[in-house]
Amino acid sequence: KKPRALELLTKLPHALPQRKHVEIFHQRVEEDRQKLGLSRSQFECRSASYITVHRPRILEVGYTQLSVLQVEALKGTVRVKFINEQGLAEAGIDETGVFKEFLEETIKKAFDPSLNLFKANSAGLIYPSPTSHIQENHLSLFELVGKMLGKAVYEGIVVDVPFAPFFPSQMLEHH
């Protein structure tokens, strides 16, 4: 709405306290939801997308299921049904609880250094693996990680991702 004010915030982010940045972010998310017709009451029930995820293959199946969703659908409610190792549907009530579990498990799996998308330094802080290209679909998996982290931020879900400090700094410099 106010391009000059946004430019000022971008160039001088320290001019406002962090809580004000968070408040502005939440206001912008709410405006985005209203623009998309996802008011809180509608957001919780009407325009849900449904995905079925097999636990043993949560990352691969999660990517396949989420990649077909448009951005607007991903911003809306995503209902998850888990299929266990025996091929049976798990009972679960998704008032964001099952989705949150899906999000947390997918992020945990994606950041596992054994997948080779990310490496951990001696302090356990993670950064993109320089050899991630060995993984055939590494770019698609990075895209999934970005979508999942974006969804978490959009929904206000806190995820614990211990990035090495240089990694977010480099991302912000390139943006």
Side-chain angles (χ1 to χ4, degrees):
K1 290 180 178 180
K2 301 173 185 154
R4 188 157 167 76
L6 287 175
E7 182 181 348
L8 188 61
L9 276 176
T10 303
K11 294 186 181 199
L12 299 168
H14 58 281
L16 285 178
Q18 181 64 26
R19 65 178 164 67
K20 188 65 176 172
H21 284 274
V22 172
E23 185 180 306
I24 291 169
F25 176 76
H26 287 299
Q27 287 172 348
R28 296 198 64 188
V29 167
E30 193 55 41
E31 288 169 9
D32 188 54
R33 283 190 174 130
Q34 288 176 1
K35 186 171 70 174
L36 293 170
L38 300 170
S39 68
R40 267 294 169 201
S41 58
Q42 293 171 328
F43 176 74
E44 296 296 78
C45 57
R46 273 207 342 207
S47 57
S49 299
Y50 295 87
I51 63 173
T52 301
V53 179
H54 296 261
R55 276 199 192 271
R57 298 181 44 235
I58 193 168
L59 195 60
E60 301 87 347
V61 175
Y63 174 75
T64 303
Q65 297 272 326
L66 291 177
S67 66
V68 297
L69 294 181
Q70 297 296 317
V71 172
E72 292 79 13
L74 193 56
K75 288 180 177 182
T77 300
V78 178
R79 303 260 188 232
V80 176
K81 178 171 70 173
F82 279 117
I83 304 296
N84 66 20
E85 290 81 6
Q86 290 79 31
L88 303 171
E90 294 181 8
I93 300 170
D94 195 349
E95 292 299 323
T96 71
V98 178
F99 177 77
K100 184 178 179 201
E101 180 185 357
F102 164 70
L103 185 134
E104 289 170 343
E105 290 298 316
T106 302
I107 289 173
K108 182 173 141 185
K109 188 101 164 170
F111 285 110
D112 183 343
S114 68
L115 185 61
N116 197 38
L117 281 182
F118 294 89
K119 293 284 183 200
N121 64 17
S122 59
L125 303 176
I126 58 175
Y127 58 95
S129 171
T131 59
S132 67
H133 64 278
I134 294 171
Q135 178 82 287
E136 184 179 326
N137 60 345
H138 72 288
L139 295 178
S140 298
L141 292 173
F142 279 126
E143 182 181 350
L144 172 66
V145 169
K147 284 181 177 182
M148 297 302 284
L149 291 175
K151 178 71 170 169
V153 170
Y154 194 80
E155 297 298 330
I157 298 171
V158 177
V159 290
D160 184 20
V161 182
F163 285 123
F166 68 85
F167 173 55
S169 297
Q170 284 181 336
M171 297 241 338
L172 291 172
E173 286 175 13
H174 286 59
H175 179 57

